[in-house]
C-alpha cells in the first residue's frame, strides 16, 4: 500500500518534471530572451515589464478581463474536440450570437437585471443555432463539420456586416457600428481588482460545471468515449449523432455568450469586423489544445495566455520591445508542446508495443 | 559452449506489473528455439527488449559471448537480429523488391540499381524456398506471401538470428507448412530462429528447444524431443487443461432470436448476406462456421444494429428489432462480444473501469438523472474484475496495458453482466492462449446453462464443434447448411464452407 502511494508520488513528480508543458515554457522563454538580447534589448528588463504589466494594477484587471473570452472560447472548442468533433466555427458562433445579444441589449427596454440575462440568453440561443447548422449538416447530409463550421464563419461575418451596415447603423458616429449599448443593459463590473466584468464569474462557473460533467455525468462519459473511439461508442449503444448535435449546441451557446459579453461587457458597440480582430476563437482553440481539452488546465492556460498578451502590451509601452514578441512566445510554446508530445509517444511504456509505436521507433 | 544469443536476468517493470522477472534465455547457434507462454506471460515484452525497442530495467544481453546493448531497433538489426512482427510493416504500393531493399538499396553511380535489387531478392528467395515475385506490388499479395517478404527483409539485412512473433496466427494450414519448411531450411543453412507462439502443436512440430514463460518468468527450458505437450502445458498454465470438452446434452427452450429472410447489402449494392433465416433458442449455442469474408461479420453487424438490413425481419424475444438502433436492441435483450476487441470492443485511451462501464452506463443502478453514483460504478467494475479474474494493475489504469486475454475478459465480463436473453459472440477466442480460451468457453457454457441463447461465429472449427448445439455454415452470404455437431466432422463442414457441396450437387 505504502509502496503504491510512493510509486504514485514518484510517478507524478517525474511527470511534472518531464511534462511537455514545463519544458516548452522554459524553452519558449529562453528563445524569447535570446531574441530580445540579439536585437539589442535587455531581456531581464523586458521580462520584468511583461510580468509586472500583466499582474499588477490595471494590468491584473486587464489580464482577468481578457481571460474571459480566451477561456470561454477554449471551453467551447474543448467540448467539441473531446467528442471528436472538429468545430472550427467558434468565431462565427461568437459573432452572430454576439450581435443577437447586442440587439436585445439595445432595443429591448427594461431593467438591467432582466435585460442583461436576456441578452446573454439571446446570444446563447443564436450561437447554438449557428452551431446546430453544421451539426445537422453532418448527421443528415454527411457534410463534415470541420468544413461547414469553418465556412459558416464567413457567412456569420457577412450577415452581421449586412445587418450592422444597413439595418442597425448608428448615423451619429463615423464607425460602421450599432448604437451604444445603453448603460442599464451593460454587463456589471465587480468591485474587485479595479472593476472586473461579472462574466469572469460566469466563466469560472462554466469551468466548474464542465469539470463536473466530465468527471461524473453520463453525458460527459458518453462524449469522452465517443471522442476516444466512435466505433466502440456506437457499439456500446451511444447515439453518436444525437451527442454530436448536443455538443454543437452547447459549444455554439458558449460562443454566443462570449460574443454577447464582448459587446455588452467590453466594446459596448458592435463594430463591423471588430469582434474577429482579436482572434479569441483561435487563441481559445490553441489554449484548448495545449490543455488537452480539460476544463481546469484550460482555465490556467487561458489565464497564462491572457497575461502574456497583456504583459506584451506593457512591455512595448515600458521597455520598447514589440508586443508581438508575446505572440512569438505563444506560438513557440505551442510548437514546443506539439514536438514534445510527438517525441514522448515513442518512449511511453506499454506491455504490448503497438504498431504506431514500433513504427515510430524506426524502420524495422 | 558459446551461445548465439543469451539473456541473463532480464527484468522489466511497468507500474503495477512485473512484465519480465529475471528471465534467462540461452539460444544455441542454428537451432529453432520456441518461446511459449500464455498471453501476458511476457513474450512480447521480452522480444521488444531484445530488439532494442525499449531498455530492460535489469539484466544483460550477449551475442556470441559478447555483451551488447541496443538503444534502438537499428542497433539490433546491425548486430544481426531480424524480427518479423505479427503485423507487417510494408509499403503497400511498392514492389516486393523495393520493400526488401528499402534503405539499403544497391546503387550504381549514386543511383538506385533496381535490376540488382530484384536480382538479389530473387536469389535470396530461391535459396531459402521463399516463393515470391520480386516485382509484384505488395498490396496485391496474400498474407502468407507478405510474411515471406518480411522474412526476406530480415535476410537481406543478413540477420543471423531471426525472431518470428506468432508467425502462424494469420496463415492457412498450407501456408503454415510452407513457412515451417522455410524455417527448417534457414536452420540448416546455419541461421538461428526464435519462434514465439502459444500453439503447442507448432512447438512440437518445428522447434529444437523450448523455453516456457509464465507470469513474466522463464519457468522451463526443455529439449523438444524429450518433452510432450502435456508437460509444456503444465509449465505454461501451472495446471492441467482439458482441451477437448464436448458440450453436454442440453434441451433448448423457446426461440429467443428469429431471423427471417435477412438480406444485407455491402459496397456497390451487392448482397453480402442473402436471404438468411434461422432461430436461436434459449439454452443453446448456435455456431456459425465459414471461411472469413463470407458474410458472417455483416450478418452480425446487421443483428446488432451496426449495419442496415435491406430486407427481412429480425425478432428478439418477441420484439421486432429490424430497424432498431444499437441502444434499442441492447434494451430488447442483446449483448455482443465483437470480433475486433481492440477497435470496437474496447477503447484504448480509456481506463479499465470506463471500458467495463460501457453499455451499463445508463442503468438505474449506476446513475440517477444523468449523474453517476461513483460508489456504484466502483462496485460494479470492482466486482467484474474480481469475478472474471481480470489481471490489471489498477481499474483506473489505461486498458491498453492489458494483455490480449485480459482485454477479452473485460469485453466478456461486461457483456455477460447484461444478463440478456441473447449473447452474440464473434470470434470470442481468436488470438487467445489456452488458459483464456478455456475461460471464455466455460463462460459461454455457463451462459447457455443458465438459459441464455448464444450465437457464436468462429473460424476455429474445433471450437464450433465442441461448443455448438447446432452449426450453421455460411458460404457467399447464404446459410448453406444446418448441421448437428454430433453427426459431422471437420472435413464435412469444410466441404460446405468452401462451396464444394454445390459442385457435388451439380455433378
Amino acid at each position: 500500500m505504502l509502496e503504491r502511494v510512493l510509486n504514485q508520488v514518484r510517478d507524478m513528480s517525474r511527470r511534472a518534471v518531464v511534462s511537455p508543458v514545463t519544458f516548452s515554457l522554459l524553452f519558449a522563454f529562453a528563445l524569447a530572451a535570446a531574441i530580445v538580447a540579439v536585437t539589442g534589448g535587455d531581456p531581464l528588463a523586458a521580462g520584468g515589464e511583461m510580468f509586472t504589466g500583466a499582474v499588477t494594477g490595471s494590468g491584473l484587471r486587464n489580464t482577468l478581463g481578457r481571460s474571459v473570452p480566451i477561456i470561454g472560447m477554449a471551453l467551447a472548442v474543448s467540448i467539441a474536440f473531446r467528442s471528436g468533433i472538429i468545430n472550427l466555427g467558434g468565431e462565427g458562433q461568437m459573432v452572430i450570437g454576439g450581435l443577437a445579444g447586442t440587439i436585445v441589449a439595445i432595443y429591448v427596454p427594461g431593467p438591467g437585471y432582466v435585460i442583461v440575462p436576456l441578452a446573454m440568453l439571446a446570444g446563447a440561443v443564436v450561437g447554438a443555432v449557428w452551431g446546430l447548422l453544421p451539426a445537422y449538416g453532418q448527421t443528415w447530409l454527411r457534410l463534415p463539420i470541420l468544413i461547414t463550421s469553418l465556412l459558416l464563419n464567413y457567412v456569420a461575418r457577412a450577415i452581421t456586416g449586412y445587418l450592422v451596415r444597413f439595418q442597425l447603423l448608428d448615423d451619429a458616429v463615423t464607425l460602421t457600428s450599432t448604437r451604444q449599448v445603453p448603460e442599464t443593459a451593460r454587463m456589471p463590473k465587480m468591485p474587485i481588482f479595479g472593476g472586473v466584468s461579472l462574466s469572469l464569474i460566469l466563466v469560472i462557473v462554466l469551468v466548474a460545471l464542465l469539470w463536473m460533467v466530465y468527471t461524473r455525468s453520463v453525458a460527459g462519459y458518453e462524449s469522452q468515449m465517443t471522442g476516444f473511439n466512435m466505433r466502440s461508442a456506437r457499439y456500446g449503444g451511444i447515439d453518436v449523432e444525437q451527442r454530436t448535435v448536443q455538443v454543437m449546441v452547447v459549444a455554439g451557446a458558449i460562443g454566443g455568450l462570449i460574443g454577447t459579453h464582448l459587446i455588452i461587457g467590453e466594446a459596448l458597440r458592435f463594430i463591423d469586423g471588430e469582434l474577429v480582430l482579436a482572434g479569441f476563437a483561435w487563441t481559445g482553440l490553441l489554449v484548448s489544445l495545449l490543455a488537452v481539452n480539460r476544463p481546469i488546465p484550460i482555465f490556467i492556460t487561458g489565464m497564462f495566455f491572457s497575461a502574456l498578451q497583456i504583459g506584451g502590451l506593457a512591455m512595448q509601452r515600458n521597455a520598447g520591445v514589440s508586443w508581438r514578441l508575446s505572440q512569438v512566445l505563444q506560438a513557440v510554446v505551442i510548437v514546443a508542446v506539439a514536438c514534445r508530445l510527438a517525441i514522448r509517444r515513442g518512449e511511453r511504456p506499454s506491455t504490448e508495443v503497438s504498431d504506431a509505436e514500433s513504427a515510430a521507433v524506426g524502420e524495422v | 559452449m558459446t551461445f548465439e544469443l543469451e539473456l541473463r536476468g532480464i527484468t522489466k517493470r511497468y507500474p503495477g506489473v512485473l512484465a519480465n522477472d529475471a528471465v534467462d534465455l540461452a539460444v544455441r547457434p542454428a537451432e529453432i528455439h520456441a518461446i511459449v507462454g500464455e498471453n501476458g506471460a511476457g513474450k512480447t515484452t521480452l522480444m521488444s527488449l531484445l530488439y532494442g525497442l525499449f531498455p530492460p530495467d535489469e539484466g544483460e544481453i550477449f551475442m556470441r559471448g559478447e555483451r551488447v546493448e541496443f538503444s534502438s531497433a537499428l542497433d539490433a538489426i546491425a548486430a544481426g537480429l531480424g524480427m518479423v512482427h505479427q503485423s507487417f510493416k510494408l509499403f503497400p504500393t511498392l514492389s516486393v523488391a523495393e520493400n526488401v531493399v528499402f534503405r539499403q538499396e544497391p546503387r550504381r553511380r549514386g543511383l538506385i540499381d533496381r535490376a540488382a535489387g530484384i536480382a538479389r531478392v530473387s536469389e535470396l528467395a530461391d535459396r531459402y524456398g521463399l516463393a515470391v515475385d520480386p516485382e509484384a506490388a505488395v498490396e496485391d499479395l496474400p498474407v502468407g506471401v507478405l510474411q515471406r517478404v518480411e522474412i526476406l527483409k530480415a535476410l537481406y539485412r543478413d540477420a543471423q538470428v531471426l525472431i518470428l512473433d506468432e508467425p502462424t496466427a494469420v496463415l492457412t494450414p498450407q501456408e503454415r507448412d510452407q513457412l515451417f519448411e522455410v524455417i527448417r531450411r534457414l536452420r540448416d543453412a546455419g541461421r538461428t530462429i526464435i519462434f514465439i507462439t502459444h500453439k503447442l502443436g507448432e512447438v512440437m512440430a518445428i522447434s529444437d528447444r523450448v523455453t516456457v514463460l509464465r507470469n513474466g518468468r522463464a519457468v522451463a527450458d526443455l529439449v523438444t524431443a524429450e518433452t510432450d505437450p502435456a508437460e509444456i502445458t503444465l509449465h505454461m498454465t501451472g495446471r492441467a487443461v482439458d482441451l477437448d470438452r464436448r458440450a453436454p446434452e442440453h434441451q433448448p427452450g423457446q426461440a429467443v432470436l428469429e431471423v427471417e429472410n435477412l438480406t444485407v447489402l455491402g459496397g456497390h449494392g451487392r448482397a453480402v448476406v442473402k436471404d438468411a433465416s434461422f432461430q436461436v433458442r434459449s439454452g443453446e449455442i448456435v455456431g456459425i462456421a465459414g471461411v472469413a469474408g463470407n458474410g458472417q461479420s455483416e450478418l452480425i453487424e446487421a443483428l446488432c444494429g451496426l449495419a442496415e438490413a435491406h430486407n427481412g425481419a429480425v425478432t428478439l424475444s418477441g420484439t421486432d428489432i429490424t430497424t432498431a438502433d444499437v441502444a434499442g436492441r441492447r434494451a430488447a435483450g442483446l449483448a455482443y462480444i465483437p470480433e475486433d476487441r481492440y477497435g470496437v470492443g474496447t477503447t484504448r485511451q480509456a481506463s479499465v473501469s470506463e471500458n467495463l462501464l460501457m453499455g451499463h452506463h445508463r442503468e438505474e443502478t449506476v446513475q440517477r438523472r444523468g449523474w453517476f453514483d461513483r460508489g456504484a460504478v466502483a462496485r460494479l467494475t470492482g466486482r467484474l474484475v474480481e469475478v472474471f479474474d481480470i489481471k490489471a494493475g489498477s481499474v483506473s489504469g489505461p486498458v491498453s496495458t492489458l494483455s490480449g486475454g485480459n482485454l477479452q475478459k473485460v469485453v466478456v465480463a461486461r457483456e455477460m453482466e447484461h444478463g440478456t436473453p441473447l449473447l452474440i459472440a464473434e470470434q470470442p477466442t481468436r488470438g487467445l492462449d489456452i488458459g483464456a480460451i478455456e475461460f471464455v468457453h466455460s463462460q459461454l457454457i455457463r451462459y447457455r446453462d443458465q438459459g441464455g441463447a448464444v450465437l457464436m461465429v468462429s473460424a476455429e472449427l474445433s471450437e464450433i464443434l465442441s461448443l455448438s448445439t447446432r452449426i450453421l455454415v455460411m458460404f457467399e452470404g447464404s446459410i448453406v447448411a444446418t448441421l448437428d455437431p454430433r453427426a459431422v466432422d471437420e472435413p464435412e463442414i469444410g466441404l460446405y464452407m468452401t462451396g464444394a457441396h454445390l459442385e457435388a450437387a451439380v455433378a
Side-chain angles (χ1 to χ4, degrees):
Chain A
M1 186 61 209
L2 182 68
E3 194 189 357
R4 245 180 62 196
V5 172
L6 281 177
N7 271 341
Q8 267 180 4
V9 169
R10 203 178 53 199
D11 204 44
M12 270 166 59
S13 52
R14 195 190 70 94
R15 246 183 292 169
V17 172
V18 302
S19 157
V21 177
T22 315
F23 171 84
S24 307
L25 288 178
L26 291 174
F27 178 71
F29 277 108
L31 188 74
I35 292 173
V36 173
V38 166
T39 53
D42 177 354
L44 279 181
E49 289 297 343
M50 191 176 214
F51 181 76
T52 52
V55 301
T56 58
S58 66
L60 181 59
R61 186 194 62 208
N62 292 339
T63 296
L64 293 174
R66 186 171 281 236
S67 77
V68 169
I70 293 178
I71 296 171
M73 294 313 291
L75 293 174
V77 79
S78 73
I79 59 173
F81 281 177
R82 251 181 127 151
S83 315
I85 302 167
I86 313 290
N87 171 27
L88 298 182
E91 188 178 276
Q93 291 144 20
M94 178 181 86
V95 169
I96 205 144
L99 183 63
T102 309
I103 292 172
V104 170
I106 294 175
Y107 294 102
V108 179
Y113 61 83
V114 175
I115 296 308
V116 170
L118 195 66
M120 292 297 269
L121 182 69
V125 168
V126 173
V129 169
W130 210 248
L132 206 56
L133 293 178
Y136 278 137
Q138 176 155 311
T139 55
W140 288 351
L141 306 170
R142 301 188 181 205
L143 301 169
I145 285 182
L146 166 69
I147 300 193
T148 48
S149 67
L150 182 68
L151 293 181
L152 279 169
N153 288 341
Y154 300 97
V155 179
R157 273 160 75 171
I159 290 176
T160 54
Y162 164 77
L163 288 174
V164 170
R165 227 171 266 270
F166 297 106
Q167 304 293 334
L168 307 167
L169 192 70
D170 181 2
D171 298 323
V173 290
T174 53
L175 297 163
T176 314
S177 150
T178 63
R179 279 161 44 193
Q180 207 173 36
V181 175
E183 210 137 323
T184 51
R186 292 177 190 172
M187 179 65 73
K189 305 253 187 235
M190 297 181 288
I192 47 164
F193 306 123
V196 176
S197 169
L198 191 62
S199 303
L200 184 62
I201 300 296
L202 176 78
V203 163
I204 291 171
V205 168
L206 268 179
V207 168
L209 197 66
L210 287 179
W211 178 78
M212 288 279 287
V213 163
Y214 281 109
T215 49
R216 50 195 72 187
S217 83
V218 173
Y221 172 81
E222 290 199 351
S223 297
Q224 178 70 84
M225 294 302 273
T226 306
F228 279 156
N229 182 344
M230 196 180 292
R231 286 172 68 207
S232 182
R234 221 184 277 278
Y235 147 82
I238 294 174
D239 188 336
V240 172
E241 281 68 33
Q242 191 193 339
R243 281 278 164 229
T244 302
V245 169
Q246 287 168 354
V247 161
M248 286 302 288
V249 162
V250 177
I254 296 176
L257 281 178
I258 297 301
T260 306
H261 152 78
L262 282 171
I263 304 302
I264 70 170
E266 302 284 340
L268 304 184
R269 286 174 182 277
F270 191 101
I271 306 171
D272 182 29
E274 186 83 357
L275 216 45
V276 301
L277 277 184
F280 290 126
W282 305 105
T283 309
L285 191 144
L286 297 177
V287 166
S288 184
L289 287 180
L290 207 55
V292 213
N293 307 326
R294 317 248 147 196
I296 291 167
I298 281 177
F299 186 79
I300 296 164
T301 315
M303 275 298 170
F304 174 70
F305 271 40
S306 174
L308 267 188
Q309 294 185 358
I310 298 297
L313 293 171
M315 179 176 70
Q316 170 160 319
R317 267 196 319 275
N318 303 329
V321 177
S322 167
W323 63 274
R324 292 192 182 278
L325 188 68
S326 61
Q327 287 196 320
V328 172
L329 257 173
Q330 202 172 300
V332 171
V333 170
I334 289 155
V335 172
V337 167
C339 292
R340 282 288 294 165
L341 283 178
I343 294 165
R344 272 168 59 81
R345 261 163 63 183
E347 47 185 61
R348 189 180 55 210
S350 151
T351 43
E352 303 284 317
V353 178
S354 76
D355 295 354
E357 275 162 346
S358 41
V361 168
E363 172 262 332
V364 179
Chain B
M1 74 177 291
T2 313
F3 295 114
E4 180 71 17
L5 178 73
E6 194 183 359
L7 274 54
R8 285 190 206 150
I10 296 287
T11 298
K12 182 73 186 175
R13 293 181 197 89
Y14 293 117
V17 184
L18 194 55
N20 283 156
D21 184 4
V23 172
D24 292 329
L25 173 70
V27 182
R28 288 153 183 77
E31 76 171 358
I32 300 172
H33 195 113
I35 296 181
V36 294
E38 303 196 313
N39 287 347
K43 304 185 297 273
T44 305
T45 302
L46 188 65
M47 288 306 115
S48 302
L49 295 171
L50 171 58
Y51 203 54
L53 296 181
F54 37 82
D57 295 330
E58 286 160 34
E60 298 168 318
I61 301 173
F62 298 85
M63 284 194 75
R64 280 167 230 109
E66 277 179 49
R67 172 129 193 240
V68 289
E69 265 180 62
F70 303 139
S71 58
S72 78
L74 292 178
D75 289 355
I77 292 168
L81 284 177
M83 171 106 94
V84 176
H85 293 270
Q86 282 183 57
S87 51
F88 305 132
K89 296 166 197 312
L90 297 168
F91 302 104
T93 53
L94 297 185
S95 74
V96 170
E98 283 163 339
N99 267 286
V100 171
V101 303
F102 175 66
R103 289 198 53 190
Q104 296 191 13
E105 299 87 353
R107 282 159 200 267
R108 199 166 50 139
R109 286 189 234 113
L111 298 174
I112 292 174
D113 187 346
R114 285 176 187 278
I118 292 168
R120 284 175 58 182
V121 172
S122 314
E123 189 265 325
L124 265 181
D126 287 348
R127 193 184 327 155
Y128 296 106
L130 291 150
V132 289
D133 172 7
E135 294 180 71
V138 158
E139 60 192 345
D140 301 332
L141 299 175
V143 205
V145 180
L146 295 182
Q147 189 171 57
R148 285 180 222 151
V149 179
E150 286 284 359
I151 296 173
L152 277 173
K153 263 167 72 179
L155 295 176
Y156 182 80
R157 282 156 185 73
D158 205 25
Q160 288 306 312
V161 180
L162 202 59
I163 305 166
L164 303 171
D165 189 5
E166 305 267 359
T168 58
V170 292
L171 301 183
T172 64
Q174 291 80 2
E175 285 174 329
R176 183 191 60 204
D177 294 342
Q178 287 168 3
L179 172 70
F180 284 0
E181 200 44 50
V182 169
I183 291 176
R184 288 196 190 96
R185 277 206 205 193
L186 287 166
R187 175 195 56 194
D188 296 343
R191 313 239 181 190
T192 306
I193 316 289
I194 297 178
F195 188 97
I196 301 166
T197 185
H198 58 251
K199 296 185 182 160
L200 296 183
E202 296 177 357
V203 173
M204 300 312 293
I206 186 85
S207 70
D208 300 314
R209 293 181 77 91
V210 49
T211 296
V212 185
L213 293 184
R214 187 172 83 224
N215 289 334
R217 277 190 294 273
V219 291
D221 183 12
L222 310 164
V223 175
T224 310
E226 297 166 8
T227 184
D228 57 50
E231 189 188 0
I232 299 177
T233 305
L234 202 62
H235 285 299
M236 273 169 72
T237 61
R239 65 199 143 82
V241 176
D242 174 17
L243 275 179
D244 274 318
R245 177 185 27 208
R246 278 264 164 175
E249 296 293 323
H250 204 85
Q251 204 52 51
Q254 296 258 307
V256 173
L257 177 73
E258 289 171 88
V259 178
E260 280 169 58
N261 307 105
L262 181 68
T263 296
V264 180
L265 298 185
H268 311 295
R270 199 171 48 89
V272 285
V273 177
K274 295 172 196 159
D275 214 17
S277 299
F278 61 92
Q279 287 190 342
V280 185
R281 293 165 294 178
S282 72
E284 73 171 353
I285 297 178
V286 172
I288 298 184
V291 176
N294 275 280
Q296 305 95 314
S297 304
E298 291 83 357
L299 171 67
I300 298 301
E301 283 186 355
L303 293 180
C304 298
L306 295 170
E308 220 172 291
H310 174 67
N311 207 355
V314 182
T315 311
L316 178 59
S317 304
T319 315
D320 181 359
I321 58 161
T322 313
T323 57
D325 62 4
V326 179
R329 286 168 201 247
R330 283 185 173 271
L334 162 163
Y336 172 31
I337 299 167
E339 172 177 33
D340 181 358
R341 73 183 70 108
Y342 297 98
V344 176
T346 59
T347 292
R348 191 170 54 82
Q349 303 94 322
S351 69
V352 175
S353 145
E354 285 167 326
N355 272 291
L356 283 168
L357 189 60
M358 177 60 79
H360 293 284
H361 63 274
R362 281 171 179 262
E363 284 165 14
E364 292 294 318
T365 47
V366 294
Q367 59 94 21
R368 204 159 302 131
R369 292 201 196 93
W371 296 92
F372 284 121
D373 174 348
R374 300 215 288 178
V377 171
R379 279 193 296 280
L380 170 72
T381 57
R383 182 165 52 80
L384 291 179
V385 165
E386 200 183 307
V387 171
F388 287 81
D389 191 28
I390 298 167
K391 293 202 178 65
S394 138
V395 286
S396 54
V399 82
S400 55
T401 56
L402 265 56
S403 67
N406 278 301
L407 199 67
Q408 185 69 342
K409 281 186 179 180
V410 167
V411 178
V412 169
R414 182 184 66 205
E415 296 305 312
M416 293 212 163
E417 174 67 14
H418 285 295
T420 51
L422 177 69
L423 176 69
I424 297 178
E426 197 178 6
Q427 311 288 3
T429 61
R430 176 146 79 192
L432 300 187
D433 56 65
I434 300 167
I437 289 173
E438 191 195 31
F439 175 83
V440 171
H441 283 177
S442 66
Q443 291 299 324
L444 291 176
I445 288 170
R446 185 176 66 89
Y447 207 84
R448 179 201 66 187
D449 290 347
Q450 289 172 353
V454 180
L455 179 63
M456 177 178 76
V457 174
S458 177
E460 294 281 338
L461 280 186
S462 58
E463 179 166 89
I464 295 265
L465 275 169
S466 66
L467 291 180
S468 304
T469 318
R470 271 185 304 137
I471 299 173
L472 307 178
V473 185
M474 280 190 86
F475 175 68
E476 292 188 346
S478 302
I479 292 173
V480 293
T482 303
L483 306 170
D484 179 350
R486 284 159 300 189
V488 291
D489 53 12
E490 290 196 24
E492 195 179 342
I493 302 178
L495 285 180
Y496 288 103
M497 281 168 60
T498 53
H501 69 288
L502 298 174
E503 288 158 32
V506 170

